[in-house]
Amino acid sequence: MKKLLAFLALAGMAQLAVAADIKGDAKAAEKKVSMCIGCHAIPGYKATFPEVYQVPMIGGQSAKYIENALKAYQKGERKHPSMRGIAASLSDQDIADLAAYYAQQK
């Protein structure tokens, strides 16, 4: 049992180390934003599923905010069904890249 706990602890630390090594690449995100711009690049856009929802403009948001929001959708902490589906399809690298891309916008 001690060996199993030690293994799990090491695996968790290794996962944290990998996550810490991920750097967002705004240039790489240019090929990944197509699923975002249909809603988030239209001033005043409102989505109507599951209810009328004012879609925020995310250009210029901090990278950390975008990363946290996407991870919250992945975990189910944020509930919008379209965003949950999109976020579920993203890797940690995708999230970092998208966050870097939108953070650099004004």
Side-chain angles (χ1 to χ4, degrees), residues 14-104:
Q15 188 175 15
L16 288 175
V18 169
D21 289 341
I22 295 174
K23 303 286 184 221
D25 181 351
K27 189 76 172 158
E30 290 176 3
K31 296 178 182 171
K32 301 175 184 182
V33 297
S34 60
M35 68 187 120
C36 308
I37 60 175
C39 297
H40 291 285
I42 303 170
Y45 183 73
K46 293 180 182 174
T48 58
F49 177 80
E51 59 195 43
V52 176
Y53 176 79
Q54 180 71 41
V55 177
M57 298 295 288
I58 56 176
Q61 285 283 4
S62 76
K64 197 61 171 165
Y65 173 82
I66 294 170
E67 287 179 19
N68 289 339
L70 289 170
K71 289 180 182 185
Y73 282 117
Q74 284 181 329
K75 294 176 189 172
E77 295 168 355
R78 287 189 173 202
K79 305 293 181 194
H80 194 276
S82 297
M83 282 302 305
R84 286 186 71 192
I86 290 168
S89 73
L90 300 173
S91 68
D92 288 343
Q93 184 65 59
D94 293 335
I95 290 173
D97 293 346
L98 291 169
Y101 177 86
Y102 281 106
Q104 75 174 1

